[in-house]
Amino acid sequence: MALTGRAALLAALGSIPVGVLEPGWTGILAVNGSLALACACDYALAAPVRRLRLSRSGDTSARLGETADVTLTVTNPSRRPLRAHLRDAWPPSSWQPGTEVESSRHRLTVPPGERRRVTTRLRPTRRGDRQADRVTVRSYGPLGLFSRQGSHQVPWTVRVLPPFTSRKHLPSKLARLRELDGRTSVLTRGEGTEFDSLREYVPGDDTRSIDWRATARQSSVAVRTWRPERDRHILLVLDTGRTSAGRVGDAPRLDASMDAALLLAALASRAGDRVDLLAYDRRVRALVQGRSAGDMLPSLVNAMATVEPELVETDARGLTAMALRTAPRRSLIVLLTTLDAAPVEQGLLPVLPQLTQRHTVLVAAVADPHIATMEKARGDAEAVYEAAAAAQAQSERQRTAEQLRRHGVTVVDATPETLAPALADAYLALKAAGRL
């Protein structure tokens, strides 16, 4: 708390030694009085803090791992120059460790009636909304002996979006999609495909593709070519229950699931399919429906930004009921969840027939690469024990995956780095097989 001019004078006078009786005491009093007067004048000449006007501008969103610049404009309406140290406070997760002091503290001088800008550079370490805390200003006098201090609330929010690191795989997946879409010479057939065009029969073509009516009208045999259907519906379901909070490497499983969902959504929208999102544990955490192709990906990213894992057991029946309401007609339901035995056997398997009898279901799960490393460990008793535990865990995951496959479910089990491209490949395989 800043001292008043009177308090400053008393503080200076308080430095006189108690009980001084020597003849030189008057000199000491004079020195301390001069110091007190200087301090009082310095304090009086410091620009008032409460009259300052502060406003913000700058970035309102940034991807995780990138920077966001927020500019603070300080206007000095007083008649005294402002010489100040300023602290722009944000939550700790707004900075990389060890960079808060350098990024949030500023020195500035603002002449009377003018304004100056300072920029705070954020580099958030977590997804979600980061809201600015108070701005504290310490205003010094010309001698720098005393200061005034006060705080201002200057609201601002920066939304930290998922990083979408898997977008680097998008060009290669789009190339495969163009092949399936008939832009290169690839023939596909089966249910779930649409008629594309007629061409002349060549040896090796499936005779079931011959169009006899068209053949009767021309001198050569005509066959139908097919392309994957467009305007299919895909529902991405993020399980946000307790299993999604488990960390694999430096991030929760949920973050890897989001990254995979974004790559699949980007690919499916290019294929002409409609994509919706449902995040659920015991209640709906996010729901995105009915977005156009151009608005779909930004809407998904924005909705995912604030979704966090919840330390509760996922209600599989509630999740299934909500998925059926969100996808009333035949769709591809992509469930990003766990392959742990207990949640699947006790929660998902009993209600799975409700989904598979109407929809195509794909389950994607994040595998821990450390388990595979442990499985290969040898050398001492501890390493052998870890290898045995890892082998047992892998066996349980494989058994759980096989149970899902027996119900007609496509299963993708991959590490965080490979989950997104593996899920995209599974989608393309379903397209090629005519199951979409």
Side-chain angles (χ1 to χ4, degrees), residues 74-129:
V74 181
T75 303
N76 178 19
S78 71
R79 297 181 179 179
R80 308 170 205 161
L82 173 68
R83 309 170 187 86
H85 292 173
L86 180 148
R87 179 176 182 263
D88 188 6
W90 290 76
S93 58
S94 303
W95 329 89
Q96 293 288 339
T99 63
E100 178 181 358
V101 173
E102 177 184 355
S103 302
S104 65
R105 287 167 170 76
H106 309 275
R107 293 173 179 265
L108 74 162
T109 301
V110 185
E114 297 187 15
R115 63 184 179 182
R116 295 291 184 270
R117 295 183 177 90
V118 294
T119 298
T120 300
R121 173 158 292 181
L122 309 179
R123 194 177 182 90
T125 57
R126 290 179 55 190
R127 287 182 296 101
D129 289 340

Side-chain angles (χ1 to χ4, degrees), residues 41-328:
C41 292
D42 197 46
Y43 174 83
L45 292 174
V49 173
R50 297 190 182 278
R51 293 178 57 191
L52 297 176
R53 295 196 297 267
L54 290 85
S55 61
R56 292 188 186 273
S57 60
D59 296 331
T60 57
S61 64
R63 292 193 182 276
L64 184 64
E66 298 179 354
T67 59
D69 290 339
V70 180
T71 299
L72 190 68
T73 302
V74 181
T75 303
N76 178 19
S78 71
R79 297 181 179 179
R80 308 170 205 161
L82 173 68
R83 309 170 187 86
H85 292 173
L86 180 148
R87 179 176 182 263
D88 188 6
W90 290 76
S93 58
S94 303
W95 329 89
Q96 293 288 339
T99 63
E100 178 181 358
V101 173
E102 177 184 355
S103 302
S104 65
R105 287 167 170 76
H106 309 275
R107 293 173 179 265
L108 74 162
T109 301
V110 185
E114 297 187 15
R115 63 184 179 182
R116 295 291 184 270
R117 295 183 177 90
V118 294
T119 298
T120 300
R121 173 158 292 181
L122 309 179
R123 194 177 182 90
T125 57
R126 290 179 55 190
R127 287 182 296 101
D129 289 340
R130 298 293 168 266
Q131 296 180 343
D133 201 346
R134 66 190 65 187
V135 177
T136 302
V137 181
R138 182 174 293 173
S139 171
Y140 290 91
L143 299 178
L145 298 175
F146 268 60
S147 64
R148 303 169 184 259
Q149 181 170 309
S151 297
H152 293 258
Q153 294 288 346
V154 191
W156 193 260
T157 301
V158 173
R159 174 156 291 188
V160 186
L161 307 173
F164 193 14
T165 55
S166 63
R167 64 181 178 271
K168 62 187 177 185
H169 299 290
L170 188 57
S172 63
K173 305 308 175 188
L174 288 175
R176 289 190 56 194
L177 178 64
R178 285 192 292 271
E179 293 179 355
L180 293 176
D181 201 28
R183 294 176 187 152
T184 60
S185 179
V186 173
L187 180 67
T188 61
R189 63 177 181 83
E191 66 170 341
T193 58
E194 291 180 341
F195 173 72
D196 184 33
S197 61
L198 292 172
R199 64 171 175 79
E200 187 175 346
Y201 175 85
V202 295
D205 283 342
D206 191 338
T207 56
R208 290 174 295 180
S209 297
I210 296 176
D211 189 318
W212 295 107
R213 290 187 178 182
T215 300
R217 295 193 298 267
Q218 59 188 37
S219 59
S220 58
V221 178
V223 295
R224 301 184 187 95
T225 60
W226 309 85
R227 59 185 172 84
E229 278 190 63
R230 288 180 170 271
D231 197 31
R232 307 302 287 175
H233 181 224
I234 298 173
L235 176 61
L236 302 172
V237 182
L238 288 175
D239 179 357
T240 57
R242 64 170 183 82
T243 57
S244 68
R247 300 186 73 84
V248 178
D250 296 330
R253 281 186 168 90
L254 181 60
D255 285 26
S257 297
M258 288 180 175
D259 194 52
L262 288 173
L263 179 63
L264 178 56
L267 181 62
S269 67
R270 298 288 186 91
D273 294 334
R274 295 180 298 107
V275 182
D276 292 337
L277 170 73
L278 170 65
Y280 191 94
D281 42 73
R282 289 188 172 274
R283 64 180 180 87
V284 176
R285 303 293 175 177
L287 181 62
V288 178
Q289 285 183 287
R291 296 296 193 273
S292 64
D295 186 50
M296 183 271 302
L297 199 60
S299 297
L300 293 187
V301 170
N302 193 58
M304 289 178 180
T306 57
V307 175
E308 295 291 345
E310 301 293 330
L311 299 182
V312 296
E313 198 71 41
T314 298
D315 177 10
R317 293 187 181 276
L319 184 149
T320 301
M322 189 63 197
L324 291 173
R325 285 198 296 270
T326 309

